Each structure stands twice: as C-alpha cells, then as structure tokens.
Amino acid sequence: TLALDVEEIRAEFPILSRLLHDGKPLIYLDNAATTQTPTPVLEAYSDYFNRYNANIHRGLHSLADEATAAFERARDTVREFLNAERVEEIVFTRGTTEAINLVANTWGRANLRAGDRVVISEMEHHSNIVPWQMLSTELGFTLSVIPVDARGVLDLDAARSLIDERTRLVAVNHVSNALGTINPVSELAALAHAQGALILVDGAQAVAHARVDVQALGADFYAFSGHKIYGPTGIGALYGRLELLEAMPPWQGGGEMISKVTLTEGTTFAAPPHKFEAGTPAIGEAIALDRAIRWLTNLHFELVTEWEQTLLSHTTQRLESIDGLSLIGTAPNKCGVISFVVEGAHSQDIGLLIDQFGVAIRTGHHCAQPLMQKFGLDATCRASFGVYNTLEEADQFVDALGRVIKMLR
Ligand code: PMP
C-alpha cells in the first residue's frame, strides 16, 4: 500500500532541523499562518534568478522568452491544480487578500447596488469581511452573515433564508483558519445559483490539505495564497469563470493589462487574465508556486489528506484529556487546525511559554474577530498541521502544553 514517507518529506525542509532555546528541536505547528518551503521550491526560485531572470511578455530576447514561458506554465499548473477548464480563468495575485479585493473592486463595483445583498459567514477571515464592508458602505448594499453554531458549523437553515432573490453574491471560506471547519461549499453554491447569485470561495486554508475542483464545487470565484501551500509569499491566484472575467472591468491600470493606449481616444484592455495583471508580476514567485504545487501533488493528495486527519484525530484525543482545556471548533468535518483555550491560563502566556519548548503555535484572534466574539473570547491557541508534522511532534506538543499549564496555574 502507498504511504507517505514523512521522514523523507522532512529532509526537504532544512528549517525543520532547527534547534531553538538550548537545543530544543523546532516543532512547527503554525501552518495555517504560513507553511515552510521545501528545497525543490527554493531551487526553482533561485534557478529563475540564476538562469533566466527577465521581464515577461514584452521582451524578444531568449531570457524574456524563457521567463514568459515559465510564468505561463505556472498559470497552467494552477489551472490543472484547481481543475479549471481554461488557463485564461487563472489570474495571478499577491495572495488571497488581493484576489478577494480584486473581485470586490471589479465585479462588485460593476454589479452591486443599494437593495442587493451579499452574504458572508460568521467564520470569515477579515480579508473576506472588510472588502465587502468597505464596498457596502460605499454602494449601499446589505451585508448579511450566516451564523455558526456552538460546534463552529455554519447554520444552513439560516443560509437558506438569507440567500434570497436579492442576493448577488455568497462569499465564504472553504476551510476556517480559526476552527478548521470544512464548509459545505457545493451546497452553498447550489443555494446561490438557485437565486441567480454567484459564490466566491476563500480557499486559503483548503488547497494544501485536500484536492480542490472548482467545477465540481460550483465555485464562480476561488482564491488562494502560495505561502500556505509550501510556496512563497507575494503570489496567489484567483480563479474566475471566464465569462465573468470577460465582463468584469479592470481594477489597477498600467502596463501588461492593455491592448492599446492612446492619449486622446483612451485605452482598450487586454483579455483575461492579463486585464487583471497590471504591472510586472511576481515572476520568480509564480514559478516557485508552480514547483510547490507539483511537489505537493506528487506526494499523492489522498495520502496528504489522510495523514493530516491522523495528526488531527490523535492530537484532538490527547488534548481532550487535559483538565480545563476546551476545544473551540468541534465540527465533524475538519482540516488539521485545532483551536483551544485553557481555564486559568491566558492564550498569550501559553504561546510565549510553549515557545521555550521549541513549539510554534499561534495565539490571538486569527484575523477572525467576529468569530471570537461569537465564542465570547478574545483569543485562542491554535495548532495547525502541515504534511511534514509527525505523531511524535504532536505528542511533544501536548506534553509541553501540559507543563506550560502547570507553570501558569
Ligand atoms: N483567508 C483565510 C481563511 C486565511 O487563513 C488567510 C491567511 N491567514 C487569508 C484569507 C489571507 O491570506 P493572505 O494573507 O495570504 O492574503
């Protein structure tokens, strides 16, 4: 039977052999914030700078040709990865945040007006709340929120009544970065489409953990970030159905996004995706993202998903036996994200002290303040897994947590 060789995978991440604080091995459990980068991805990045660094699309020399070809190959890798039909449907952005802001400022500005409704959820990251709030203040549409229940599961009955004939867009995350909940995106897509509305999916926490198929999900827009999928920062992508991208006005203006510019008769714009890619993009980063996606998919995605589920259930079970610890987010369908609070110990203190054991977890509101409010909290501790984490690390984390809690009580 096929199995992941986690030790072999770890060997590709030099950072995972780092020792902290008097020789304690790093236990990196902050993968929901950013993942580490394997050697082949770093090599693809430096290879670009060492061999064919050039600006793309306009040059006629060899390096420009090679860089352009590699950049456009990266677009096709993203297309295949998301199972989009056409390469024109993939727009490179700086990340998820920029992808959502792009949709808000182009599709949103062109299509939303007073009387319309945009539906988000209570478990959104700020990057899928604030752009819609800013736009609703300006355009006067209603922003409505699907609530979550005590387990951190979306209330689908509420969704059914909120997604009505006034609704133009449903914007939700695929997986919650604060709770790990996997949301029923295809059901929400069906509800949206039944009302003639679109669905935008924030896939930042999904793409590294389970195979995503934008067509099967029924997503109209799908956004993700390279740095959460073993690639670099500064690059991400927006998938948009071609007919939507074609009808959308551009956002930023500049080079690379035009067809013809005149000073007296105005400017005509390039076709998608270039219409939305003004200026020189992050070329080396896109090439490295291509490598990261191929690196991850070559591991066999089912095995990655399965391994992270093993880490999740093992760690959850062990945490449940800690006195006074409450898990925040107990949905039946979860990715490898575990949020928790501990009676008599502040999350911030836990985060600081457990770092002394070499353990990197995140504490705070996880850019999901409305969700924290729902649970009556300011902050949680969050451990989140990547494909390179081991059961030994999970145990060392739980043991260290036990000692930290003793110190704090
Ligand atoms: N959405 C979710 C669910 C996230 O977890 C994050 C990153 N924490 C973002 C959006 C924003 O991603 P980025 O900062 O890479 O734009």
Side-chain angles (χ1 to χ4, degrees):
T1 58
L2 274 174
L4 276 189
D5 187 338
V6 177
E7 284 315 313
E8 195 177 296
I9 292 171
R10 291 178 70 82
E12 295 190 284
F13 293 82
I15 201 169
L16 296 179
S17 336
R18 258 203 77 175
L19 303 177
L20 299 166
H21 313 299
D22 307 324
K24 300 206 181 56
L26 165 68
I27 297 175
Y28 187 76
L29 297 176
D30 196 16
N31 293 285
T34 201
T35 48
Q36 300 302 340
T37 316
T39 310
V41 173
L42 298 172
E43 283 170 357
Y45 189 64
S46 61
D47 186 51
Y48 163 72
F49 284 104
N50 286 330
R51 295 202 314 111
Y52 59 102
N53 179 26
N55 209 333
I56 55 170
H57 293 143
R58 285 155 307 187
L60 282 177
H61 56 77
S62 301
L63 299 194
D65 274 352
E66 288 174 30
T68 303
F71 184 77
E72 292 303 327
R73 259 199 313 278
R75 196 189 304 281
D76 195 56
T77 297
V78 174
R79 179 204 63 73
E80 192 184 345
F81 180 55
L82 298 179
N83 194 35
E85 203 178 318
R86 303 183 52 142
V87 74
E88 296 89 338
E89 298 180 313
I90 306 300
V91 178
F92 280 121
T93 64
R94 281 195 296 128
T96 308
T97 303
E98 192 177 62
I100 296 169
N101 277 275
L102 191 159
V103 176
N105 283 287
T106 58
W107 180 87
R109 260 176 215 292
N111 290 284
L112 297 171
R113 48 195 58 84
D116 291 344
R117 191 199 297 281
V118 169
V119 176
I120 60 173
S121 90
E122 204 170 14
M123 68 169 92
E124 294 313 306
H125 187 278
H126 294 164
S127 62
N128 200 25
I129 301 174
V130 182
W132 305 114
Q133 264 176 353
M134 289 166 68
L135 201 62
S136 103
T137 308
E138 202 183 311
L139 303 180
F141 61 83
T142 306
L143 189 59
S144 302
V145 182
I146 306 169
V148 299
D149 69 15
R151 300 167 302 164
V153 174
L154 288 184
D155 178 344
L156 276 188
D157 287 332
R160 266 178 221 109
S161 56
L162 282 174
I163 301 171
D164 61 6
E165 69 290 344
R166 292 169 54 195
T167 304
R168 299 281 167 269
L169 179 74
V170 176
V172 290
N173 60 39
H174 195 169
V175 173
S176 157
N177 65 304
L179 304 176
T181 309
I182 303 172
N183 286 316
V185 167
S186 29
E187 279 94 325
L188 291 167
L191 291 176
H193 294 155
Q195 300 291 347
L198 302 180
I199 184 162
L200 173 148
V201 184
D202 165 357
Q205 292 297 337
V207 287
H209 309 292
R211 196 171 270 294
V212 167
D213 179 333
V214 290
Q215 297 186 68
L217 286 173
D220 298 295
F221 296 107
Y222 197 98
F224 76 94
S225 303
H227 71 98
K228 294 188 199 275
I229 181 167
Y230 310 101
T233 54
I235 190 76
L238 171 71
Y239 158 81
R241 276 202 294 113
L242 188 57
E243 60 184 86
L244 297 171
L245 294 183
E246 277 172 341
M248 279 153 56
W251 180 23
Q252 297 174 334
E256 312 249 12
M257 54 77 74
I258 52 86
S259 166
K260 182 166 198 242
V261 178
T262 70
L263 292 177
T264 48
E265 287 151 58
T267 293
T268 53
F269 302 115
H274 302 293
K275 179 164 70 172
F276 303 105
E277 293 179 356
T280 302
I283 303 164
E285 284 77 0
I287 291 166
L289 172 62
D290 178 341
R291 191 67 191 87
I293 290 172
R294 286 184 292 113
W295 177 84
L296 180 64
T297 49
N298 282 343
L299 295 178
H300 293 284
F301 227 124
E302 324 74 71
L303 298 178
V304 172
T305 306
E306 205 179 290
W307 177 237
E308 291 177 357
Q309 288 294 322
T310 304
L311 292 166
L312 172 67
S313 57
H314 175 84
T315 313
T316 302
Q317 254 170 38
R318 285 217 49 202
L319 288 176
E320 275 168 347
S321 68
I322 293 182
D323 205 34
L325 184 146
S326 311
L327 295 171
I328 308 298
T330 51
N333 290 323
K334 278 184 66 170
C335 268
V337 173
I338 307 178
S339 251
F340 60 92
V341 291
V342 180
E343 229 174 74
H346 283 293
S347 296
Q348 224 68 16
D349 295 336
I350 293 175
L352 278 172
L353 282 176
I354 206 165
D355 174 67
Q356 295 301 311
F357 292 85
V359 179
I361 59 170
R362 173 127 319 204
T363 57
H365 54 61
H366 317 296
C367 296
Q369 282 180 340
L371 183 68
M372 294 292 118
Q373 272 158 30
K374 168 75 168 213
F375 284 98
L377 300 166
D378 297 326
T380 70
C381 296
R382 180 188 71 185
S384 53
F385 298 109
V387 60
Y388 37 59
N389 288 124
T390 65
L391 291 169
E392 292 71 31
E393 285 183 313
D395 285 335
Q396 284 158 3
F397 154 61
V398 178
D399 294 343
L401 180 64
R403 292 174 63 183
V404 164
I405 292 170
K406 268 210 192 87
M407 289 158 74
L408 288 171
R409 281 179 181 154

